[in-house]
Amino acid sequence: MNEPTTLYIIRHGKTMFNTIGRTQGWSDTPLTKEGEKTIHYLGLGLQETNFKEAYSSDSGRAMQTARIILQEHPNGADIPYATDSRIREWCFGSLDGGYDGELWGVVPRILAFKNYDDMMTNRISYKDLADAIIAADTANWAEPYEKIRERVWSGFEDIAHYREKNGGGNVMIVSHGLTISFLMSLIDNSLPMQIGLENGSVTKLIYENGKFTIDTVNDTHYIENGREIASNN
């Protein structure tokens, strides 16, 4: 009999750009020392979770996060690990690498809101956001909404379907804040935009017969458990 198929979707550890308030998207910076430490704690907190396989996006910060977690896991060397470019962050085009204030300054104005808070209060859609990023992008690199939707959904769905077809169980996936938030909206479109997912937080999804159910969102208790384990050793 199959086990339930459960995806443990982790936002990567805190990076240099996260720390200084720059938009990362497809650009990349490594985890800070503090970011590494938090992910070490997360790895300790996940030691007793039996993962059938592990994935991350192909961004350096996601791969670095996955490696640290697997290093802390007693079976880490035996857990199959692969990268998947479909679960990387959204591309912000010419706004990639700029300060967050540039992105969240221009996008609300394009959508005819006074500011970021006004925009979020009015609960814009992810399509609105994607369209506004394209309008703001002077390099023509940003992805259209339908392309983002197709790659993100197919990436996570293929991972979940493979695991269900092969007996179910737990899968570790390291991805990115906006991508994880967007995936949840595709599962339940009544959810608000979850911009504030914590670095190292776990969002847990159950997959059964082609359908996702959201179990927990932005869960940081594994980090806290790992911190406690480290302090007792």
Side-chain angles (χ1 to χ4, degrees), residues 3-212:
E3 298 176 55
T5 298
T6 307
L7 306 189
Y8 287 67
I9 306 177
I10 297 159
R11 186 186 175 201
H12 62 80
K14 195 167 193 178
T15 65
M16 186 179 81
F17 269 13
N18 291 153
T19 304
I20 61 175
R22 283 185 178 266
T23 302
Q24 258 171 151
W26 283 11
S27 58
D28 206 23
T29 57
L31 272 57
T32 60
K33 290 295 181 193
E34 190 58 40
E36 287 182 358
K37 189 186 291 185
T38 298
I39 298 304
H40 278 294
Y41 292 146
L42 174 62
L44 291 172
L46 288 169
Q47 279 182 332
E48 293 183 6
T49 305
N50 178 26
F51 291 116
K52 301 292 188 180
E53 55 249 346
Y55 298 85
S56 77
S57 86
D58 59 346
S59 297
R61 60 194 185 274
M63 293 190 290
Q64 186 182 2
T65 299
R67 281 196 301 268
I68 293 170
I69 297 168
L70 291 173
Q71 283 164 8
E72 295 292 357
H73 199 285
N75 302 320
D78 300 319
I79 296 170
Y81 165 64
T83 62
D84 192 325
S85 61
R86 294 175 297 176
I87 62 173
R88 64 165 62 161
E89 186 57 289
W90 284 33
C91 177
F92 300 105
S94 58
L95 295 165
D96 252 32
Y99 283 104
D100 290 342
E102 294 173 38
L103 174 68
W104 299 119
V106 69
V107 163
R109 290 200 301 274
I110 288 169
L111 295 172
F113 294 109
K114 288 181 291 187
N115 51 39
Y116 173 82
D117 290 338
D118 185 31
M119 178 181 78
M120 295 307 285
T121 301
N122 282 276
R123 288 191 63 172
I124 64 162
S125 70
Y126 286 89
K127 185 176 187 312
D128 291 337
L129 178 60
D131 290 349
I133 291 168
I134 285 177
D137 173 26
T138 57
N140 296 320
W141 293 335
E143 298 172 285
Y145 173 81
E146 289 302 331
K147 188 173 180 183
I148 303 169
R149 187 186 191 286
E150 195 280 328
R151 76 162 167 88
V152 170
W153 183 260
S154 67
F156 286 100
E157 217 267 344
D158 283 358
I159 289 169
H161 180 69
Y162 173 82
R163 176 53 17 227
E164 183 181 55
K165 193 175 67 175
N166 287 277
N170 303 319
V171 185
M172 184 190 98
I173 305 174
V174 182
S175 186
H176 305 263
L178 185 56
T179 297
I180 299 167
S181 167
F182 178 51
L183 173 65
M184 288 191 291
S185 81
L186 297 176
I187 296 166
D188 181 354
N189 62 14
S190 71
L191 290 174
M193 203 175 276
Q194 301 271 344
I195 297 291
L197 293 177
E198 297 285 338
N199 292 103
S201 65
V202 177
T203 293
K204 201 184 293 186
L205 305 181
I206 313 297
Y207 182 80
E208 187 176 11
N209 299 324
K211 188 176 186 316
F212 283 111

